Amino acid sequence: GAGVSQSPSNKVTEKGKDVELRCDPISGHTALYWYRQRLGQGLEFLIYFQGNSAPDKSGLPSDRFSAERTGESVSTLTIQRTQQEDSAVYLCASSAAGGSYNEQFFGPGTRLTVL
Amino acid sequence: KQEVTQIPAALSVPEGENLVLNCSFTDSAIYNLQWFRQDPGKGLTSLLLIQSSQREQTSGRLNASLDKSSGRSTLYIAASQPGDSATYLCAVRRSQGAGSYQLTFGKGTKLSVIP
């Protein structure tokens, strides 16, 4: 079926506002990942969901960041009280399972600009 | 902590030339290494995935090699075309332990192929 989709593709917000970013993984993929790519930097891991297990939130940069996933489908990344340093491209990926051998497939990303 | 370095950061070549992109990583305990292509405004497209037990992988005009012991990988592009212009990212996955599903990325090499 279709690949990983993300919405919106672009988001411009004012400092201090909350934003929600959405990810639709490939159907049947049980593992879902969020990464962040700031200008001039490599992709940074944020959070990982695998089935009904507790998510690995070790990459979230602050408690202003949170994410949810409904079962094995859609995930939402929420950033509260946005700061200018949150400006980045947020990429979502999914894989058939969370094991090391499973290739991750990436969505097109959401470009977040905080003014 | 795993660190991935890509050299050069940018490369410009005339059409038809063969070229090599380099990737190095500090921790050789990897499960696999993946090369991605990133086009502006688009997500990551997986090009080649090399398991740690493999030495190389080929797909069309692309050939990726892996020398795990020395912490190096190269991506060879034959007969480059303007359509190859993109940013090429290298990512490694840890072989075991906490966070082994995470990909650690380099900052990428921006390739421009001049017609």
Side-chain angles (χ1 to χ4, degrees), chain B residues 41-88:
Chain B
K42 297 185 179 180
L44 277 62
T45 301
S46 179
L47 298 174
L48 290 164
L49 185 152
I50 311 177
Q51 300 294 352
S52 62
S53 58
Q54 297 175 320
R55 297 286 291 182
E56 65 178 332
Q57 281 284 354
T58 298
S59 176
R61 294 183 293 110
L62 305 179
N63 176 277
S65 68
L66 174 64
D67 185 342
K68 196 173 76 165
S69 61
S70 67
R72 294 180 183 179
S73 175
T74 61
L75 179 66
Y76 175 83
I77 303 177
S80 58
Q81 302 171 359
D84 295 331
S85 298
T87 297
Y88 290 80

Short mmCIF file of all heavy atoms in Angstrom, two decimals, chain B residues 41-88:
data_model
loop_
_atom_site.label_atom_id
_atom_site.label_comp_id
_atom_site.label_asym_id
_atom_site.label_seq_id
_atom_site.Cartn_x
_atom_site.Cartn_y
_atom_site.Cartn_z
N GLY B 41 12.50 18.86 0.52
CA GLY B 41 11.06 18.79 0.73
C GLY B 41 10.50 17.37 0.72
O GLY B 41 9.28 17.20 0.81
N LYS B 42 11.37 16.40 0.66
CA LYS B 42 10.90 15.02 0.64
C LYS B 42 11.56 14.23 1.75
O LYS B 42 12.55 14.66 2.34
CB LYS B 42 11.19 14.39 -0.72
CG LYS B 42 10.47 15.06 -1.86
CD LYS B 42 10.69 14.33 -3.17
CE LYS B 42 9.94 15.02 -4.30
NZ LYS B 42 10.14 14.31 -5.59
N GLY B 43 11.03 13.08 2.02
CA GLY B 43 11.59 12.24 3.07
C GLY B 43 12.82 11.51 2.59
O GLY B 43 13.39 11.79 1.54
N LEU B 44 13.22 10.54 3.38
CA LEU B 44 14.40 9.76 3.05
C LEU B 44 14.02 8.55 2.21
O LEU B 44 13.03 7.87 2.52
CB LEU B 44 15.09 9.27 4.33
CG LEU B 44 16.04 10.22 5.03
CD1 LEU B 44 15.34 11.47 5.51
CD2 LEU B 44 16.74 9.52 6.19
N THR B 45 14.79 8.29 1.20
CA THR B 45 14.62 7.10 0.38
C THR B 45 15.78 6.16 0.64
O THR B 45 16.94 6.55 0.47
CB THR B 45 14.57 7.47 -1.12
OG1 THR B 45 13.50 8.38 -1.34
CG2 THR B 45 14.36 6.21 -1.96
N SER B 46 15.48 4.95 1.05
CA SER B 46 16.54 3.98 1.32
C SER B 46 17.15 3.52 0.00
O SER B 46 16.45 3.16 -0.94
CB SER B 46 15.97 2.78 2.08
OG SER B 46 16.98 1.83 2.31
N LEU B 47 18.48 3.56 -0.07
CA LEU B 47 19.19 3.14 -1.28
C LEU B 47 19.75 1.73 -1.13
O LEU B 47 19.53 0.87 -1.98
CB LEU B 47 20.33 4.12 -1.57
CG LEU B 47 19.92 5.56 -1.85
CD1 LEU B 47 21.14 6.45 -1.96
CD2 LEU B 47 19.07 5.65 -3.10
N LEU B 48 20.50 1.54 -0.07
CA LEU B 48 21.14 0.25 0.15
C LEU B 48 21.24 0.00 1.64
O LEU B 48 21.50 0.92 2.41
CB LEU B 48 22.55 0.22 -0.47
CG LEU B 48 22.63 0.21 -2.00
CD1 LEU B 48 24.03 0.58 -2.46
CD2 LEU B 48 22.23 -1.14 -2.54
N LEU B 49 21.07 -1.25 2.03
CA LEU B 49 21.24 -1.66 3.41
C LEU B 49 22.24 -2.80 3.43
O LEU B 49 22.06 -3.79 2.70
CB LEU B 49 19.90 -2.09 4.03
CG LEU B 49 19.89 -2.44 5.51
CD1 LEU B 49 18.51 -2.17 6.10
CD2 LEU B 49 20.27 -3.89 5.76
N ILE B 50 23.30 -2.65 4.22
CA ILE B 50 24.32 -3.68 4.33
C ILE B 50 24.29 -4.27 5.74
O ILE B 50 24.45 -3.54 6.73
CB ILE B 50 25.73 -3.13 4.07
CG1 ILE B 50 25.77 -2.29 2.81
CG2 ILE B 50 26.74 -4.26 3.98
CD1 ILE B 50 27.14 -1.67 2.57
N GLN B 51 24.09 -5.56 5.85
CA GLN B 51 24.16 -6.21 7.16
C GLN B 51 25.63 -6.27 7.59
O GLN B 51 26.54 -6.27 6.75
CB GLN B 51 23.57 -7.62 7.08
CG GLN B 51 22.11 -7.67 6.66
CD GLN B 51 21.16 -7.04 7.66
OE1 GLN B 51 21.55 -6.68 8.77
NE2 GLN B 51 19.91 -6.88 7.28
N SER B 52 25.85 -6.39 8.88
CA SER B 52 27.23 -6.35 9.40
C SER B 52 28.07 -7.51 8.89
O SER B 52 29.29 -7.42 8.83
CB SER B 52 27.22 -6.35 10.93
OG SER B 52 26.62 -7.54 11.41
N SER B 53 27.40 -8.60 8.47
CA SER B 53 28.13 -9.77 7.97
C SER B 53 28.49 -9.64 6.50
O SER B 53 29.21 -10.48 5.95
CB SER B 53 27.29 -11.03 8.18
OG SER B 53 26.05 -10.89 7.51
N GLN B 54 27.98 -8.60 5.86
CA GLN B 54 28.21 -8.42 4.43
C GLN B 54 29.34 -7.43 4.18
O GLN B 54 29.66 -6.58 5.02
CB GLN B 54 26.92 -7.93 3.75
CG GLN B 54 25.79 -8.92 3.83
CD GLN B 54 24.50 -8.38 3.26
OE1 GLN B 54 24.17 -7.20 3.46
NE2 GLN B 54 23.77 -9.22 2.54
N ARG B 55 29.93 -7.51 3.00
CA ARG B 55 31.01 -6.60 2.63
C ARG B 55 30.52 -5.51 1.67
O ARG B 55 31.07 -4.42 1.65
CB ARG B 55 32.13 -7.38 1.96
CG ARG B 55 32.79 -8.40 2.84
CD ARG B 55 33.67 -7.76 3.86
NE ARG B 55 34.85 -7.14 3.28
CZ ARG B 55 35.80 -6.55 4.00
NH1 ARG B 55 35.70 -6.49 5.32
NH2 ARG B 55 36.84 -6.02 3.40
N GLU B 56 29.51 -5.85 0.87
CA GLU B 56 29.00 -4.86 -0.07
C GLU B 56 27.61 -5.22 -0.55
O GLU B 56 27.15 -6.36 -0.43
CB GLU B 56 29.95 -4.70 -1.26
CG GLU B 56 30.07 -5.91 -2.15
CD GLU B 56 30.99 -5.62 -3.34
OE1 GLU B 56 31.10 -4.45 -3.76
OE2 GLU B 56 31.60 -6.57 -3.82
N GLN B 57 26.96 -4.19 -1.10
CA GLN B 57 25.65 -4.36 -1.72
C GLN B 57 25.62 -3.50 -2.97
O GLN B 57 26.21 -2.42 -3.01
CB GLN B 57 24.52 -3.91 -0.77
CG GLN B 57 24.15 -4.89 0.30
CD GLN B 57 23.32 -6.04 -0.21
OE1 GLN B 57 22.91 -6.07 -1.37
NE2 GLN B 57 23.07 -7.01 0.65
N THR B 58 24.91 -4.00 -3.97
CA THR B 58 24.84 -3.28 -5.25
C THR B 58 23.40 -3.13 -5.66
O THR B 58 22.58 -4.05 -5.49
CB THR B 58 25.62 -4.04 -6.33
OG1 THR B 58 27.00 -4.10 -5.95
CG2 THR B 58 25.51 -3.33 -7.67
N SER B 59 23.11 -1.95 -6.23
CA SER B 59 21.80 -1.72 -6.82
C SER B 59 21.98 -0.78 -7.99
O SER B 59 22.26 0.41 -7.82
CB SER B 59 20.85 -1.11 -5.79
OG SER B 59 19.60 -0.79 -6.39
N GLY B 60 21.86 -1.31 -9.19
CA GLY B 60 22.03 -0.48 -10.38
C GLY B 60 23.40 0.15 -10.43
O GLY B 60 24.43 -0.54 -10.38
N ARG B 61 23.44 1.47 -10.50
CA ARG B 61 24.72 2.19 -10.58
C ARG B 61 25.33 2.45 -9.20
O ARG B 61 26.38 3.08 -9.10
CB ARG B 61 24.49 3.53 -11.29
CG ARG B 61 24.09 3.40 -12.76
CD ARG B 61 23.95 4.77 -13.42
NE ARG B 61 22.83 5.53 -12.86
CZ ARG B 61 22.97 6.61 -12.10
NH1 ARG B 61 24.17 7.06 -11.78
NH2 ARG B 61 21.89 7.25 -11.66
N LEU B 62 24.69 1.97 -8.16
CA LEU B 62 25.17 2.19 -6.80
C LEU B 62 25.83 0.94 -6.24
O LEU B 62 25.33 -0.17 -6.43
CB LEU B 62 24.01 2.59 -5.88
CG LEU B 62 23.16 3.79 -6.30
CD1 LEU B 62 22.06 4.01 -5.27
CD2 LEU B 62 23.99 5.02 -6.48
N ASN B 63 26.93 1.16 -5.54
CA ASN B 63 27.60 0.08 -4.84
C ASN B 63 28.05 0.60 -3.48
O ASN B 63 28.74 1.61 -3.41
CB ASN B 63 28.80 -0.44 -5.63
CG ASN B 63 29.57 -1.51 -4.88
OD1 ASN B 63 30.41 -1.21 -4.05
ND2 ASN B 63 29.27 -2.76 -5.17
N ALA B 64 27.63 -0.08 -2.43
CA ALA B 64 28.04 0.32 -1.09
C ALA B 64 28.92 -0.77 -0.49
O ALA B 64 28.61 -1.96 -0.62
CB ALA B 64 26.83 0.57 -0.20
N SER B 65 30.00 -0.37 0.14
CA SER B 65 30.88 -1.32 0.80
C SER B 65 30.90 -1.04 2.29
O SER B 65 30.61 0.08 2.73
CB SER B 65 32.29 -1.21 0.24
OG SER B 65 32.86 0.04 0.60
N LEU B 66 31.26 -2.06 3.05
CA LEU B 66 31.33 -1.93 4.50
C LEU B 66 32.57 -2.64 5.02
O LEU B 66 32.80 -3.81 4.71
CB LEU B 66 30.09 -2.55 5.17
CG LEU B 66 30.09 -2.62 6.69
CD1 LEU B 66 30.11 -1.22 7.30
CD2 LEU B 66 28.89 -3.40 7.20
N ASP B 67 33.37 -1.90 5.79
CA ASP B 67 34.50 -2.47 6.52
C ASP B 67 34.24 -2.19 7.98
O ASP B 67 34.60 -1.12 8.51
CB ASP B 67 35.81 -1.83 6.06
CG ASP B 67 37.02 -2.48 6.72
OD1 ASP B 67 36.85 -3.16 7.75
OD2 ASP B 67 38.14 -2.29 6.22
N LYS B 68 33.59 -3.15 8.64
CA LYS B 68 33.14 -2.91 10.00
C LYS B 68 34.31 -2.71 10.95
O LYS B 68 34.26 -1.86 11.85
CB LYS B 68 32.27 -4.09 10.46
CG LYS B 68 31.45 -3.79 11.69
CD LYS B 68 30.49 -4.91 12.00
CE LYS B 68 31.19 -6.08 12.62
NZ LYS B 68 30.25 -7.04 13.24
N SER B 69 35.37 -3.48 10.75
CA SER B 69 36.50 -3.41 11.69
C SER B 69 37.16 -2.04 11.70
O SER B 69 37.64 -1.57 12.73
CB SER B 69 37.52 -4.49 11.37
OG SER B 69 38.03 -4.30 10.07
N SER B 70 37.16 -1.39 10.55
CA SER B 70 37.78 -0.06 10.49
C SER B 70 36.75 1.05 10.63
O SER B 70 37.10 2.23 10.63
CB SER B 70 38.54 0.12 9.17
OG SER B 70 37.65 0.15 8.08
N GLY B 71 35.48 0.69 10.72
CA GLY B 71 34.43 1.67 10.91
C GLY B 71 34.20 2.54 9.70
O GLY B 71 34.03 3.77 9.84
N ARG B 72 34.19 1.92 8.51
CA ARG B 72 34.05 2.73 7.31
C ARG B 72 33.09 2.09 6.32
O ARG B 72 32.99 0.87 6.20
CB ARG B 72 35.40 2.92 6.62
CG ARG B 72 36.39 3.73 7.41
CD ARG B 72 37.70 3.87 6.67
NE ARG B 72 38.67 4.61 7.46
CZ ARG B 72 39.91 4.86 7.07
NH1 ARG B 72 40.32 4.45 5.89
NH2 ARG B 72 40.73 5.54 7.85
N SER B 73 32.42 2.96 5.57
CA SER B 73 31.60 2.54 4.45
C SER B 73 31.77 3.55 3.34
O SER B 73 32.00 4.74 3.59
CB SER B 73 30.13 2.45 4.86
OG SER B 73 29.31 2.15 3.73
N THR B 74 31.66 3.07 2.11
CA THR B 74 31.68 3.97 0.97
C THR B 74 30.48 3.69 0.09
O THR B 74 30.02 2.56 -0.01
CB THR B 74 32.96 3.81 0.13
OG1 THR B 74 33.03 2.47 -0.37
CG2 THR B 74 34.20 4.11 0.94
N LEU B 75 29.99 4.74 -0.53
CA LEU B 75 28.94 4.63 -1.53
C LEU B 75 29.53 5.08 -2.85
O LEU B 75 29.95 6.24 -2.98
CB LEU B 75 27.73 5.49 -1.17
CG LEU B 75 26.58 5.45 -2.20
CD1 LEU B 75 25.96 4.06 -2.25
CD2 LEU B 75 25.50 6.49 -1.86
N TYR B 76 29.57 4.17 -3.79
CA TYR B 76 30.11 4.44 -5.12
C TYR B 76 28.96 4.64 -6.08
O TYR B 76 28.05 3.80 -6.15
CB TYR B 76 30.99 3.25 -5.54
CG TYR B 76 31.53 3.32 -6.95
CD1 TYR B 76 32.68 4.06 -7.23
CD2 TYR B 76 30.91 2.63 -7.98
CE1 TYR B 76 33.19 4.09 -8.52
CE2 TYR B 76 31.41 2.68 -9.28
CZ TYR B 76 32.55 3.41 -9.53
OH TYR B 76 33.06 3.45 -10.82
N ILE B 77 29.00 5.76 -6.80
CA ILE B 77 27.99 6.05 -7.81
C ILE B 77 28.68 6.09 -9.17
O ILE B 77 29.59 6.92 -9.39
CB ILE B 77 27.25 7.37 -7.54
CG1 ILE B 77 26.61 7.36 -6.15
CG2 ILE B 77 26.19 7.63 -8.61
CD1 ILE B 77 25.93 8.66 -5.76
N ALA B 78 28.26 5.22 -10.05
CA ALA B 78 28.87 5.16 -11.38
C ALA B 78 28.09 6.04 -12.36
O ALA B 78 26.88 6.18 -12.27
CB ALA B 78 28.88 3.73 -11.87
N ALA B 79 28.84 6.62 -13.29
CA ALA B 79 28.23 7.39 -14.39
C ALA B 79 27.16 8.33 -13.87
O ALA B 79 25.98 8.22 -14.22
CB ALA B 79 27.66 6.44 -15.43
N SER B 80 27.56 9.27 -13.05
CA SER B 80 26.60 10.14 -12.36
C SER B 80 25.73 10.92 -13.34
O SER B 80 26.15 11.26 -14.47
CB SER B 80 27.33 11.11 -11.44
OG SER B 80 28.25 11.89 -12.17
N GLN B 81 24.50 11.19 -12.90
CA GLN B 81 23.50 11.90 -13.70
C GLN B 81 22.96 13.08 -12.90
O GLN B 81 22.97 13.05 -11.66
CB GLN B 81 22.35 10.96 -14.06
CG GLN B 81 22.77 9.72 -14.82
CD GLN B 81 21.64 8.72 -14.96
OE1 GLN B 81 20.53 8.93 -14.48
NE2 GLN B 81 21.92 7.62 -15.66
N PRO B 82 22.45 14.12 -13.57
CA PRO B 82 21.89 15.25 -12.82
C PRO B 82 20.81 14.83 -11.83
O PRO B 82 20.68 15.43 -10.76
CB PRO B 82 21.32 16.14 -13.94
CG PRO B 82 22.20 15.87 -15.12
CD PRO B 82 22.52 14.39 -15.02
N GLY B 83 20.06 13.79 -12.17
CA GLY B 83 19.03 13.29 -11.26
C GLY B 83 19.57 12.68 -9.99
O GLY B 83 18.80 12.41 -9.05
N ASP B 84 20.88 12.47 -9.93
CA ASP B 84 21.49 11.95 -8.70
C ASP B 84 21.71 13.06 -7.68
O ASP B 84 22.08 12.79 -6.54
CB ASP B 84 22.84 11.29 -9.01
CG ASP B 84 22.70 10.05 -9.88
OD1 ASP B 84 21.65 9.38 -9.80
OD2 ASP B 84 23.65 9.76 -10.64
N SER B 85 21.51 14.30 -8.09
CA SER B 85 21.72 15.43 -7.18
C SER B 85 20.76 15.33 -6.00
O SER B 85 19.54 15.28 -6.18
CB SER B 85 21.51 16.75 -7.92
OG SER B 85 22.44 16.90 -8.96
N ALA B 86 21.31 15.28 -4.81
CA ALA B 86 20.53 15.10 -3.58
C ALA B 86 21.52 15.10 -2.42
O ALA B 86 22.73 15.18 -2.62
CB ALA B 86 19.75 13.79 -3.60
N THR B 87 20.98 14.99 -1.21
CA THR B 87 21.83 14.78 -0.05
C THR B 87 21.81 13.30 0.30
O THR B 87 20.75 12.69 0.37
CB THR B 87 21.35 15.62 1.15
OG1 THR B 87 21.45 17.01 0.82
CG2 THR B 87 22.18 15.33 2.38
N TYR B 88 22.99 12.74 0.48
CA TYR B 88 23.13 11.31 0.78
C TYR B 88 23.49 11.15 2.24
O TYR B 88 24.46 11.73 2.74
CB TYR B 88 24.18 10.68 -0.13
CG TYR B 88 23.69 10.60 -1.56
CD1 TYR B 88 23.74 11.73 -2.38
CD2 TYR B 88 23.14 9.43 -2.07
CE1 TYR B 88 23.26 11.69 -3.68
CE2 TYR B 88 22.65 9.38 -3.37
CZ TYR B 88 22.71 10.51 -4.16
OH TYR B 88 22.23 10.46 -5.45
#
